[in-house]
């Protein structure tokens, strides 16, 4: 792991430089968040106060009678060089500079940014400036400066996010929280004065809380960054899956990227080819990135691309097949002997070819029977279960059967559009039991595709 | 309008044949639903009871001392020919046969179905059999036999749905209700013994409550149906937009279609070409169909394909451009003089090229200024507004500004991923004020694309 990155993810002690109790201000939100949530030692620094919210306030980081692993800096840009020199003197390991007013505002800011870098001398590693920083659900380290009422925080979980945009990270974490998707770690690096996505990727790869890494990227600033990033990606994808959403794909959006992050969006087709070569899984938006990551974090990898579809609605079954085949997977007709076995115990109106359509008369027991019968055979590699809790024969108990058949070692994802009380219970049980659920067939299909793609990358399945 | 169809949509009196109070049964759900919701005269028919739920029960439809416009039949399949002969004698105009056990179960059922048709002699028009029937939010006519706790009903609104699958219709109506999308009318025609999608399309086209028609179709049964359907579509699209989701696109899903609705899915590429020729707007799933319909029902048609994007998050702006351009629309750079006008009144960090990025310092007033300045010019045809209620300068009051600029006669759609309280208020106000909101950029882009496509179909915009 790169020097200092461990202190960024797991500091024992944090100093907030520019701490304040002012409601709604950047410093105020961070101060309150860290005081209430961070599971470590916390020190407030601000020369204007002796005490804040019942906590002692130090005039400078130098006064703190303890080692400081991480400094969160929220003071105005012009003060940051001096603050940084104190951090160097104190032996602070990493500084997250939240403050804006650096290279993103023009030449004066660029000079200031250079000055901060010179002062730090590489002895204090820097995340930012002009960033939203870090969110770590495992230890409560949260520099995201949007109050909880405006942005919910996701529960601890195996997905980590690296985002080139702070606002995009905040918006998607809020979304993930409301969907109960466990994004345990998220980092935004702002102007990237020191710590880059390349180093972050390396650090997250060796972090044991992280099983899947999601990257949001708009573009790169320097020519050799792309090469470095892909090199690290190639190494990381041998251990953990990386899901990438690359924005800035067209000429007009490249213009927007330039104005947003001062980066070069580059030729999207070249990006695509490079990402593929590096073994990254590409998606078309961040919601799908997290949904797909959910499957990668919980499911075994398939040995092939053949999908079994079980449904209680013929129409939804048809749509499922469309979606699964659109992403390049197949829904093979089951062999006659297996169909006969199924037909013997299923009602005559059920269709057994694949999709298995149990119709509106479906019951939990029929699903269980189909899963127990087909999953152990070598005719299919993955399962997409469509189950609607609108039907009289269906109950949330089906979740337990589904969790049980995980023992066959094949990936399972569940689709259901219904949101009534039983459907919510059903889905919650599945998610707790390690089975991802989706309310869009397209997303469910993308999740299966990602599992297959990663299996191919890891050499566990043949490319089709 | 075809004979009888008006009685299906707007009956003055309804008889439920096979009425029952049995909880959870098909007849029980329909009986309770109609008794509590239908705004018209309602008669219960069942020879086994004299009274049900405090209402008189007639032994046969013939005993009812009133005209009966519509009969809802839920009795077992073998009894339906007799029931139908009584309906004919009574002069019932339309019968919705909910009961299954007809051609979908094999030869015996097919014979029974033919018998019912012969008895009806075309004097009683028939919807079904083996269908979920009709949902009409305007008059409370609701034969969907899933209880409210398992399936919510959407509010009255300008979207009508024709669905080849009853289960699919039920699932999507529940989804629409939870999203507060106004699907005022929905019809499923089951085995299509008499009334077909062709006739339904004609009836909905001339129904004044309906502004957009959404069709879910898996396939057609007979060779000449396609020709008829497209002929009617071509006529209807001159008056109202039709949004179609055609499922059963691949070889495997065609197999599934055959087993589900006994229809032929046909070659999807041929379907696509035919739908395009008929002026229908095609989408890839039913959620998008309804989301797109929301825009078609409320927005004026654009004169071209140029989209203005306004955002408070540079990253979201980049993604918006990607999505808008992916569907074939353009995000043109604004001319320098207009950019100068914008720059004079916006903060220096705002970007004015298009997307207009107001950054995290955005306020309602900045949005208002941009809209008032750019909308009246002839540089853009439509607007996609990205607004996050996570930012301190943003309030739900922005909704009023947006509703106000509808006066410029250009389509506006709003995207926001946030779901905090202010965001919910913001979106609810917009929807009430006739501005569609979306929580996926892809869907927002599809909505704009559909508006442009329909403008081209109606000859109001040039194809690009």
């Amino acid at each position: 792991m790169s020097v200092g990155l461990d202190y960024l993810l797991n500091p024992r002690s944090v100093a907030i430089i520019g701490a304040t109790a002012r409601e709604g201000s950047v410093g105020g939100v961070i101060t309150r968040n860290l005081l209430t949530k961070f599971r470590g030692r916390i020190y407030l620094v601000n020369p204007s106060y002796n005490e804040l919210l019942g906590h002692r306030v130090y005039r400078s980081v130098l006064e703190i009678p303890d080692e400081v692993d991480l400094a969160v800096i929220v003071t105005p840009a012009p003060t940051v060089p001096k603050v940084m020199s104190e951090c160097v003197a104190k032996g602070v390991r990493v500084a997250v500079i939240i403050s804006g007013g650096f290279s993103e505002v023009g030449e004066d800011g660029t000079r200031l940014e250079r000055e901060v870098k010179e002062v730090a001398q590489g002895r204090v590693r820097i995340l930012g400036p002009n960033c939203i920083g870090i969110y770590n659900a495992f230890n409560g380290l949260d520099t995201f400066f949007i109050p909880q009422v405006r942005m919910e925080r996701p529960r601890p979980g195996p997905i980590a996010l690296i985002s080139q945009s702070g606002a995009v990270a905040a918006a998607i974490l809020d979304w993930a929280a409301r969907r109960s998707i466990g994004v345990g770690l998220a980092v935004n690096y702002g102007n990237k004065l020191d710590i880059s996505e390349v180093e972050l990727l390396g650090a997250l790869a060796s972090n044991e809380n992280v099983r899947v890494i999601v990257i949001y990227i708009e573009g790169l600033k320097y020519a050799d960054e792309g090469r470095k990033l892909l090199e690290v990606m190639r190494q990381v994808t041998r251990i953990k899956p990386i899901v990438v959403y690359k924005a800035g794909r067209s000429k007009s959006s490249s213009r927007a990227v330039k104005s947003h992050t001062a980066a070069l969006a580059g030729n999207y087709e070249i990006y695509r080819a490079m990402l593929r070569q590096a073994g990254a899984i590409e998606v078309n938006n961040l919601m799908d990135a997290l949904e797909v990551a959910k499957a990668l974090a919980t499911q075994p990898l398939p040995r092939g691309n053949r999908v079994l579809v079980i449904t209680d609605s013929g129409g939804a079954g048809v749509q499922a097949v469309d979606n699964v085949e659109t992403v390049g997977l197949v829904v093979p007709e089951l062999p006659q002997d297996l169909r006969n076995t199924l037909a013997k115990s299923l009602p005559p109106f059920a269709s057994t070819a694949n999709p298995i359509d149990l119709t509106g008369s479906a019951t939990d027991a029929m699903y269980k029977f189909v899963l127990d019968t087909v999953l152990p055979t070598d005719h299919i590699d993955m399962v997409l279960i469509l189950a609607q809790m609108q039907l009289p024969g269906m109950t949330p108990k089906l979740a337990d059967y589904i969790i049980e058949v995980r023992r066959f070692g094949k990936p399972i994802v569940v689709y259901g559009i219904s949101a009534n009380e039983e459907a919510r219970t059903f889905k919650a049980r599945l998610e707790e039991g390690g089975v991802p659920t989706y309310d869009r067939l397209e997303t469910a299909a993308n999740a299966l595709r990602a599992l297959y793609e990663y299996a191919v990358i890891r050499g566990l399945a043949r490319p089709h």
Side-chain angles (χ1 to χ4, degrees), chain A:
Chain A
M1 152 121 37
S2 309
V3 178
L5 272 277
D6 196 35
Y7 295 107
L8 174 67
L9 299 178
N10 293 305
R12 292 157 302 179
S13 56
V14 173
I16 307 172
I17 306 182
T20 166
R22 200 149 29 90
E23 294 269 4
S25 73
V26 168
V29 174
I30 294 176
T31 304
R32 272 169 227 270
N33 265 342
L34 287 182
L35 283 176
T36 49
K37 297 194 299 187
F38 178 58
R39 292 192 280 282
R41 302 188 300 279
I42 184 111
Y43 301 99
L44 309 187
V45 178
N46 191 329
S48 312
Y49 306 105
N50 292 316
E51 188 249 294
L52 276 175
L53 305 162
H55 292 262
R56 168 161 179 198
V57 181
Y58 299 89
R59 295 182 56 80
S60 130
V61 73
L62 291 166
E63 280 185 9
I64 298 171
D66 184 10
E67 283 182 50
V68 174
D69 287 345
L70 180 76
V72 178
I73 303 174
V74 293
T75 59
T79 69
V80 175
K82 179 167 174 288
V83 164
M84 184 55 69
S85 71
E86 292 171 352
C87 287
V88 172
K90 175 66 185 170
V92 167
R93 310 292 187 134
V94 188
V96 179
I97 308 178
I98 303 292
S99 326
F102 291 92
S103 61
E104 81 280 8
V105 299
E107 281 183 26
D108 287 357
T110 305
R111 260 193 301 279
L112 203 56
E113 198 166 291
R114 237 180 350 244
E115 195 185 336
V116 172
K117 187 167 190 170
E118 277 157 23
V119 171
Q121 304 166 55
R123 289 163 64 187
V124 178
R125 301 299 314 272
I126 298 169
L127 185 72
N130 183 36
C131 72
I132 199 163
I134 184 163
Y135 170 74
N136 185 336
F138 299 101
N139 62 8
L141 179 62
D142 178 1
T143 67
F144 279 45
F145 47 80
I146 301 165
Q148 183 86 23
V149 291
R150 291 197 160 220
M151 175 202 151
E152 285 192 20
R153 266 65 172 177
R155 61 179 176 76
I159 302 171
L161 170 70
I162 301 175
S163 173
Q164 187 162 16
S165 160
V168 166
I172 200 70
L173 285 197
D174 177 62
W175 180 86
R178 291 173 200 280
R179 296 252 160 169
S180 195
I181 298 178
V183 185
L185 270 162
V187 191
N188 160 245
Y189 44 82
N191 296 0
K192 204 159 60 173
L193 176 56
D194 175 13
I195 297 171
S196 69
E197 56 275 77
V198 174
E199 247 183 303
L200 289 168
L201 193 51
L204 293 172
S206 56
N207 187 297
E208 59 181 16
N209 285 326
V210 175
R211 284 210 293 273
V212 186
I213 300 163
V214 172
I215 302 180
Y216 171 71
I217 192 164
E218 294 180 2
L220 296 166
K221 278 187 188 169
Y222 312 106
D224 69 330
E225 279 183 322
R227 194 185 42 74
K228 276 191 208 158
L229 183 59
L230 292 166
E231 207 172 281
V232 178
M233 275 191 183
R234 200 173 293 122
Q235 288 163 24
V236 174
T237 51
R238 285 187 204 132
I239 320 168
K240 294 179 185 182
I242 298 178
V243 182
V244 179
Y245 170 42
K246 161 73 174 79
R249 297 176 172 188
S250 69
K251 218 175 132 193
S252 308
S253 60
S254 303
R255 184 177 73 226
V257 165
K258 193 136 190 274
S259 116
H260 179 223
T261 48
L264 299 170
N267 180 304
Y268 174 54
E269 290 310 320
I270 293 175
Y271 260 99
R272 284 199 75 168
M274 286 166 89
L275 289 171
R276 183 178 294 266
Q277 223 192 325
I281 293 156
E282 217 205 343
V283 292
N284 292 321
N285 60 69
L286 264 186
M287 294 175 182
D288 269 13
L290 295 188
E291 298 272 30
V292 155
K294 217 167 69 171
L296 287 164
T298 53
Q299 297 307 295
L301 293 177
R303 303 284 157 161
N305 67 347
R306 298 164 304 168
V307 180
L308 172 72
V309 175
I310 314 179
T311 182
D312 53 7
S313 154
V318 171
Q319 296 169 34
V321 176
D322 279 341
N323 278 280
V324 165
E325 300 207 335
T326 295
V327 299
L329 306 174
V330 298
V331 182
E333 190 162 355
L334 295 181
Q336 198 54 52
D337 57 335
L338 187 54
R339 295 186 59 179
N340 292 344
T341 310
L342 290 171
K344 247 181 272 170
S345 301
L346 291 176
F349 46 76
S351 120
T352 57
N354 190 20
I356 312 275
D357 179 8
L358 302 170
T359 79
S361 307
T363 64
D364 302 347
M366 290 182 207
Y367 275 87
K368 180 172 159 51
F369 167 70
V370 172
L371 289 166
D372 282 336
T373 307
V374 182
L375 272 183
T377 74
D378 61 0
H379 301 297
I380 65 105
D381 305 299
M382 305 180 254
V383 192
L384 170 55
I385 298 174
L386 281 54
Q388 302 195 80
M389 289 292 135
Q390 294 177 337
L391 300 172
M394 306 281 295
T395 79
K397 175 125 193 66
L398 175 57
D400 302 329
Y401 294 144
I402 293 172
I403 291 164
E404 206 184 292
V405 293
R406 292 192 65 183
R407 73 179 186 278
F408 293 117
K410 292 182 176 173
I412 307 171
V413 304
V414 175
Y415 162 85
I417 192 181
S418 174
N420 64 39
E421 208 189 310
E422 298 209 314
R424 288 198 302 271
T425 308
F426 175 61
K427 286 179 191 172
R429 271 202 216 174
L430 284 170
E431 294 275 352
E432 266 169 52
V435 177
T437 65
Y438 299 104
D439 57 10
R440 294 176 73 96
L441 280 169
E442 203 185 327
T443 314
N446 277 335
L448 292 175
R449 194 246 325 168
L451 288 165
Y452 172 65
E453 241 183 76
Y454 191 57
V456 171
I457 289 160
R458 292 288 290 270
L460 298 171
R462 278 192 319 278
H464 59 88

